[in-house]
Amino acid sequence: MYVAITGAALLVARVAGSGALPVWMAFIGAAAVIAVATTAMLRPRLRHLLDATGAAEALAAGRFDGYAPITEDEFASLVLALNAAATNIGGTVQTLRQERTQLEALLNASSDATVAVDRSGRIMYVNDAATSVFVLGLTAPIDRPFIEVVRDHDLNEIVAAAAQRGQRSVRVIAYGQRQRWLQATAVPIDGAGEWAALAVFHDLTEVRRLDSMRRDFISNVSHELRTPLAGIRAAAETLQEGAIDDKPAAEEFLGHIQREVDRMTQLVEELLELSRIESGAAPLQFGELDVRTLVTDAVRRFAQQSERAGLSLTADLGSPAPMFVTGDGERLDRALGNLVANAIKFTPTGGRIVVSAASTDAGISVSVSDSGVGIELGQQDRIFERFYKADRGRGAGGIGLGLAIVKHIVLAHGGSVSIESRPGHGSTFTMQIPRR
C-alpha cells in the first residue's frame, strides 16, 4: 500500500512537470491507482475480519463450534483468542449440562418428593417422586404457586417460611384425604438464582402402618393369651378351694384346663408357622402334585366333622384328568384345610360346602364355597389380616390366624387368594396356584 502511494505521488510530479496533463487530472489518476491497490490489499483482511465476526456472533448465540480459520495477518491473535474462548466455554457448558443431568437423575432416583420454589412460592422444580405424591401427572406444576398444587396450608407454611424468612423446619404432616403421613423438610437456599428454598417430603405412611400393625399384633396376642390364662387360673383356683375332692367337678375343671392349654398351643403353633412362612425360615418343599388328590383328601379328612355339624361336604372336580401343579403338598393341604374348617364353622346346620378345582390358563384354581352366613363387603378387604375376625366370627372359636396362614402359603407359591361373599348367601374362597 505504501509503495502504491509513493508511485502515485511520483506519477503526479512527473505529469505536472512535463505539462502533458493538468495537475487535477494527474491527481485523479493517482487516486484511482491508490484505490485499486488499497482494495486489492484489504480484501483478504476484510474476509478474515468477517470470519472473526461470524465466530464471535456464533459464540454469543451459544454455538461453540463456529471456529474461524487461522490467519497470518494482524487478525491472527483475535482469531486464536475467539477459537480458544469457544473451546473453553463449550467445555464448561458441556460440564454444566452433565452435572445438571446427573443432579436430575439423582433427584429422580430418590423416593422422596423434592420441590424447589422461588421467593414468592412458585414452583421451579419437581422430581418424579413429587409428581407421584402430589398427583401432578395431568398438570404442569412448574411456575405455579406451591399452595395451588398441593392444596395444603400446613405444607405451604413450612415452604413459605424457608423461602421468604429463611427458616429451616422439619414437621410430620398428614396430607390429603387418604392421610398420607409426610415428613416435610424445608431449607432456604442462598445464591441459587430463582431457587429460594428446597423442600423434601419423605413418605412415612408405610412406616406408620407397620408400626400400627406391630402394636395391634402385640395387643391381639396379649388378648388371645389373656382369655385362656384367665380360664386356667379360675379352674386351678376352684380346684384348690376344694373342688379337687369332687371327682365329677374335678374332671370337668381339668377338662377345661386341657381345652385352654390346647387353645394356647394352637395359637403358638400358628404364630410360629406364620412367622416361618413370612421369613422363609422354613423353605417350601416343592414337588409335582395332583390337585385332585389334594381336594379329595381334604374332603375325606373333614367328612366326619361336617357330618356332625349337619352339613353336606362334597368335591367337584369336573374332568377326571389329573391337574398337576408344582408346590409344597403339606402347606397347600394345610391352606385348603383351613378354608374347609372355616366353612364348616360358619355354615348353619343343613347347609352345604363344595370344594372344587379347575385348570386355568395361568395354573390351577381351588375354591371352597359354602352356604353360610357370608361376610360384609366392607370387611372382605381385611379378612386375611392376622387376628382379624369379621362380625360373623366374634362369637365363634378360633384366633383369627387361619386365613392369614392361607394367604401367606399361597403368596409363597407365587399365587393369590380371593373371596366372593354376600351376607346371608355364603362365601367362596379361591386359591390361584400358578404352574411352575
Side-chain angles (χ1 to χ4, degrees):
M1 182 176 178
Y2 295 111
V3 173
I5 294 174
T6 303
L10 292 174
L11 177 62
V12 170
R14 288 179 181 178
V15 171
S18 64
L21 290 173
V23 175
W24 64 271
M25 292 184 67
F27 273 109
I28 290 176
V33 172
I34 294 173
V36 171
T38 302
T39 301
M41 296 182 63
L42 290 182
R43 182 177 289 114
R45 288 173 170 77
L46 180 61
R47 185 174 64 252
H48 296 162
L49 180 61
L50 291 176
D51 290 340
T53 302
E57 290 175 347
L59 192 61
R63 302 192 309 273
F64 310 110
D65 55 354
Y67 296 103
I70 305 300
T71 64
E72 298 296 337
D73 54 19
E74 57 269 24
F75 297 112
S77 299
L78 175 61
V79 170
L80 289 173
L82 287 174
N83 290 346
T87 300
N88 293 335
I89 296 176
T92 301
V93 170
Q94 181 64 23
T95 300
L96 292 175
R97 286 174 178 169
Q98 291 177 354
E99 291 178 351
R100 179 182 178 86
T101 302
Q102 292 169 355
L103 176 61
E104 289 186 353
L106 180 64
L107 292 174
N108 286 328
S110 172
S111 59
D112 294 338
T114 304
V115 179
V117 300
D118 65 8
R119 193 164 300 280
S120 66
R122 303 186 77 83
I123 294 177
M124 296 288 103
Y125 172 81
V126 294
N127 68 346
D128 292 344
T131 302
S132 174
V133 169
F134 300 119
V135 194
L136 305 177
L138 301 178
T139 59
I142 302 301
D143 206 34
R144 291 175 58 196
F146 180 73
I147 183 63
E148 179 183 310
V149 171
V150 301
R151 299 182 183 277
D152 188 286
H153 289 285
D154 291 332
L155 292 179
N156 185 66
E157 179 183 345
I158 66 169
V159 172
Q164 298 171 8
R165 300 188 294 275
Q167 297 177 359
R168 176 191 176 98
S169 54
V170 180
R171 288 174 57 185
V172 176
I173 297 173
Y175 171 70
Q177 295 181 349
R178 294 186 297 169
Q179 291 291 290
R180 298 183 69 172
W181 291 94
L182 300 179
Q183 182 183 44
T185 303
V187 294
I189 306 175
D190 294 327
E194 292 183 332
W195 289 24
L198 189 69
V200 178
F201 305 94
H202 181 60
D203 195 340
L204 298 176
T205 306
E206 184 66 13
V207 175
R208 291 223 168 192
R209 186 185 71 83
L210 293 176
D211 186 58
S212 177
M213 286 180 59
R214 179 185 60 81
R215 290 196 302 267
D216 291 344
F217 176 79
I218 295 173
S219 175
N220 287 327
V221 170
S222 301
H223 174 76
E224 293 295 338
L225 288 175
R226 187 182 298 116
T227 301
L229 286 174
I232 292 173
R233 179 175 182 177
E237 288 177 349
T238 303
L239 290 173
Q240 284 180 337
E241 291 173 357
I244 194 171
D245 296 327
D246 184 347
K247 187 174 181 179
E251 291 179 351
E252 179 182 350
F253 284 114
L254 288 173
H256 180 70
I257 291 174
Q258 183 65 49
R259 288 190 297 272
E260 296 298 348
V261 170
D262 290 342
R263 182 177 177 183
M264 286 193 297
T265 302
Q266 179 191 3
L267 171 62
V268 173
E269 288 179 350
E270 292 192 350
L271 283 174
L272 289 175
E273 175 71 5
L274 195 55
S275 176
R276 285 194 293 264
I277 296 172
E278 287 182 320
S279 64
L284 301 183
Q285 303 298 320
F286 286 101
E288 189 177 60
L289 57 96
D290 186 357
V291 176
R292 291 173 56 87
T293 303
L294 191 73
V295 171
T296 54
D297 287 349
V299 171
R300 187 182 304 111
R301 190 168 69 253
F302 287 94
Q304 291 186 354
Q305 184 177 343
S306 63
E307 186 178 348
R308 287 196 300 269
L311 303 174
S312 167
L313 175 61
T314 59
D316 180 11
L317 298 174
S319 171
M323 289 181 281
F324 290 108
V325 71
T326 301
D328 187 320
E330 182 180 348
R331 296 288 173 76
L332 289 176
D333 182 68
R334 175 161 191 173
L336 182 57
N338 284 358
L339 293 181
V340 175
N342 225 45
I344 293 174
K345 187 184 302 180
F346 299 110
T347 302
T349 301
R352 58 181 176 80
I353 301 171
V354 179
V355 184
S356 59
S359 179
T360 66
D361 292 338
I364 300 297
S365 171
V366 182
S367 300
V368 177
S369 301
D370 63 61
S371 58
V373 296
I375 303 172
E376 294 287 346
L377 181 62
Q379 298 177 336
Q380 293 178 19
D381 290 340
R382 301 191 59 193
I383 198 68
F384 294 102
E385 294 179 11
R386 63 187 77 190
F387 294 111
Y388 184 80
K389 297 180 183 180
D391 291 339
R392 66 171 189 161
R394 298 301 181 187
I399 55 179
L401 288 177
L403 292 179
I405 290 176
V406 172
K407 172 186 174 182
H408 286 283
I409 288 176
V410 175
L411 289 178
H413 282 78
S416 62
V417 60
S418 60
I419 176 177
E420 294 182 7
S421 182
R422 289 173 54 199
H425 293 79
S427 305
T428 298
F429 289 85
T430 302
M431 300 186 296
Q432 296 285 349
I433 311 297
R435 292 189 177 90
R436 288 178 178 266

